[in-house]
Amino acid sequence: MRIGSIFTTSAGILLSRIFGFIRDLLMASILGANLFSDIFFVAFKLPNLFRRIFAEGAFVQSFIPTFIVSRHRSVFAVSILMRFFLFLMVASILVTLFCEPVARFIAIGFSDEAIRAAAPLVAINFYYLDLIFLVTFLSALLQYREHFATTAFATTLLNISMITALLLFRSDDPEKIVYALSWAVVAGGALQLLVHLWAIRQKRLDRLLLGGFIYLGRKKEAISEDIRRFSRAFFPSVLGNSTAQLSSFIDTWLASFLASGSISYLFYANRLFQLPLALFATAASTALFPAISKHLKHERRREAVEETRRVFWLLVGLLGGASVIALILSDEIVALLFERGAFGLDDTANTASVLRMYVAGLLPFGISKLFSLWLYACHRQNDAAKIAGKSLGVNIVFSLILITPMAAPGLALASSISGWALLAWTIEAVGGSLVLDIMRSKQIVPAFIFILLCALASWGLKRLLYGYL
């Protein structure tokens, strides 16, 4: 059942990423890699950063363990919903009022003219965060019921909305196109929310929420300890789950000082890097986390180890295979997906060089996600936060060292170096004996054979393509 849940989640993510690549293909062809594409990516970066932190980590991995042990689950859930949504609405209004300073903070290297152009788009895009929090909250309730398909497939709606905007406004000037894309982001968030509301109704979880609203005023004292437990877990989890996303954010911030197009090269390369990470590591973590939390709550450690062991070598094989394919065929992959219209040969070469540096960190980031589940399930969010903080420090140091000699590829390499540091510290925190126990499996041989076959097939395909072209 667990493998089935993982592949259901992977199928949804894959469909979303296919539409995402169609979106990126159209965006590269219509906008290219220039100031206007950089402005949109900057505007979309802040809400997208918070979306990934919420949807892929901090909120779900803090909410579910507390929700499981709460004696008043419906009241606890509604209380958390109200607190977060009100906070985000206030934040959105503040971003709207002070959009220029926010835009300058995200892209400090932009000129004053570019900041003025980006500021309204930052304000529009930020409202996506309000909608996606509601989606994340509802998806956490669905994950508790071990229903993953709705959340996995619903992300496609954002890409469909943006593709529609690109097709409708493809003949307009670039400024109008990036405005259309920004409003399409908000529309995509609204569509995802509607789909999740329908799923909540189908799973009869609407009754739980209704009960929470009814009894919220009477049970505030009863859930006070649950709220404190969630708060102690959530805030460290924000840092503990967001190393890759914060690294990407820092890359964008530093790349604003580089030549025009550098932010776009990092965006397109990071999109390719995130595909196998989301398809395999995020899908496995999403499917495993509720089960591991329940096992550890009931002191069934052996069952939790078995659940993790079944997935570990499968994940190593898939991520390792994806890594060698991307390293060997980076130029061909980028050219196939993006090289058309305004996206030229030089853009392909620059994006491929960034991609190779990102891919060096694919395996450690993915395996870290798997092992960190144990920290969150055991309410060790503070340990995860310390590890992530040290890893982020490594990323910043190497970014500053490598940005001058290597430009954009140096920023991607710094991110990969921080990923290996993250993995080493995560293994140390989880415990070497537990990790060795999880790794003890006959699946090690098929995993490495699969990686070797991927490398040989990629090399053969590259030689064939080189000779043919």
Side-chain angles (χ1 to χ4, degrees):
M1 277 182 70
R2 202 67 55 214
I3 299 297
S5 297
I6 291 171
F7 280 104
T8 297
T9 306
S10 293
I13 293 172
L14 177 60
L15 181 65
S16 174
R17 293 308 169 105
I18 289 172
F19 277 92
F21 282 128
I22 294 172
R23 179 200 76 189
D24 293 343
L25 184 153
L26 289 171
M27 199 178 299
S29 177
I30 294 170
L31 280 178
N34 51 45
L35 179 61
F36 286 102
S37 61
D38 284 358
I39 285 172
F40 173 74
F41 294 142
V42 162
F44 190 45
K45 177 63 70 175
L46 192 60
N48 204 38
L49 168 70
F50 286 119
R51 177 192 66 82
R52 288 180 175 175
I53 292 173
F54 279 131
E56 297 176 8
F59 183 82
V60 173
Q61 293 181 352
S62 302
F63 178 83
I64 288 180
T66 309
F67 184 76
I68 288 172
V69 301
S70 176
R71 296 177 59 190
H72 303 281
R73 291 174 182 169
S74 60
V75 178
F76 166 71
V78 168
S79 177
I80 293 296
L81 169 65
M82 297 297 294
R83 289 164 187 257
F84 270 81
F85 187 68
L86 289 174
F87 170 79
L88 290 173
M89 282 302 299
V90 171
S92 298
I93 293 169
L94 290 174
V95 169
T96 301
L97 294 174
F98 304 101
C99 52
E100 282 201 21
V102 173
R104 191 174 298 280
F105 171 75
I106 301 171
I108 194 171
F110 270 13
S111 66
D112 290 341
E113 182 182 356
I115 290 294
R116 284 192 293 272
L121 301 178
V122 170
I124 295 170
N125 277 270
F126 200 84
Y127 283 96
Y128 173 67
L129 182 57
D130 302 89
L131 295 166
I132 215 62
F133 165 71
L134 295 175
V135 170
T136 302
F137 172 79
L138 297 177
S139 72
L141 296 179
L142 293 171
Q143 284 183 37
Y144 171 73
R145 287 285 182 89
E146 302 203 21
H147 173 79
F148 306 99
T150 297
T151 302
F153 285 95
T155 53
T156 306
L157 295 171
L158 171 65
N159 293 321
I160 291 174
S161 178
M162 295 177 72
I163 288 169
T164 302
L166 284 166
L167 292 175
L168 290 176
F169 293 88
R170 64 185 181 276
S171 300
D172 289 288
D173 60 89
E175 184 177 3
K176 192 170 183 178
I177 292 171
V178 294
Y179 268 93
L181 280 171
S182 297
W183 285 114
V185 168
V186 178
L191 291 172
Q192 291 181 70
L193 177 59
L194 290 174
V195 169
H196 277 79
L197 288 171
W198 175 83
I200 288 290
R201 174 78 174 175
Q202 292 297 111
K203 293 293 179 180
R204 298 184 178 180
L205 288 165
D206 53 331
R207 299 177 182 179
L208 181 145
L209 294 175
L210 180 60
F213 280 109
I214 293 172
Y215 292 103
L216 181 61
R218 307 180 207 174
K219 300 286 186 180
K220 280 189 176 180
E221 290 300 320
I223 62 166
S224 57
E225 179 55 34
D226 294 332
I227 296 294
R228 285 193 290 269
R229 184 184 294 112
F230 172 84
S231 299
R232 288 195 299 267
F234 175 75
F235 293 105
S237 293
V238 170
L239 180 58
N241 273 278
S242 58
T243 305
Q245 288 74 37
L246 289 172
S247 296
S248 175
F249 186 82
I250 291 169
D251 289 348
T252 300
W253 190 73
L254 291 173
S256 66
F257 292 97
L258 299 175
S260 179
S262 296
I263 291 176
S264 299
Y265 302 144
L266 286 163
F267 174 84
Y268 290 124
N270 192 259
R271 285 284 295 165
L272 292 169
F273 163 75
Q274 290 290 337
L275 174 62
L277 192 64
L279 199 59
F280 305 131
T282 301
S285 301
T286 300
L288 275 177
F289 185 64
I292 290 177
S293 297
K294 292 173 185 176
H295 285 317
L296 294 179
K297 178 201 171 185
H298 297 292
E299 299 183 356
R300 299 193 298 260
R301 183 181 175 89
R302 177 48 49 189
E303 288 85 345
V305 170
E306 286 297 328
E307 293 272 13
T308 311
R309 182 184 290 140
R310 291 191 192 104
V311 175
F312 175 76
W313 285 111
L314 174 66
L315 193 58
V316 169
L318 292 172
L319 291 176
S323 297
V324 296
I325 290 171
L327 286 170
I328 295 171
L329 295 174
S330 55
D331 290 279
E332 291 79 7
I333 291 170
V334 174
L336 175 65
L337 292 173
F338 303 126
E339 192 181 307
R340 56 186 54 80
F343 198 95
L345 187 63
D346 288 341
D347 297 323
T348 294
N350 290 329
T351 304
S353 63
V354 174
L355 174 61
R356 286 190 288 271
M357 298 299 103
Y358 269 136
V359 166
L362 179 58
L363 193 61
F365 275 122
I367 300 302
S368 296
K369 275 182 173 289
L370 188 65
F371 287 143
S372 66
L373 295 182
W374 284 74
L375 298 179
Y376 296 116
C378 295
H379 302 278
R380 295 177 59 192
Q381 281 82 358
N382 284 324
D383 292 337
K386 291 175 184 177
I387 293 168
K390 292 190 291 185
S391 172
L392 191 61
V394 170
N395 179 56
I396 293 171
V397 169
F398 278 94
S399 291
L400 295 174
I401 292 172
L402 297 174
I403 187 172
T404 300
M406 296 180 66
L411 298 176
L413 179 58
S415 177
S416 295
I417 292 170
S418 73
W420 285 101
L422 176 70
L423 177 60
W425 283 318
T426 302
I427 290 174
E428 182 183 15
V430 171
S433 60
L434 174 62
V435 172
L436 289 174
D437 193 15
I438 291 171
M439 292 174 63
R440 194 176 295 114
S441 171
K442 295 179 181 178
Q443 295 178 14
I444 182 173
V445 175
F448 280 102
I449 290 176
F450 179 76
I451 294 171
L452 179 61
L453 290 175
C454 286
L456 293 174
S458 300
W459 184 256
L461 181 59
K462 189 177 183 73
R463 294 293 298 271
L464 179 66
L465 289 173
Y466 180 78
Y468 176 75
L469 293 175

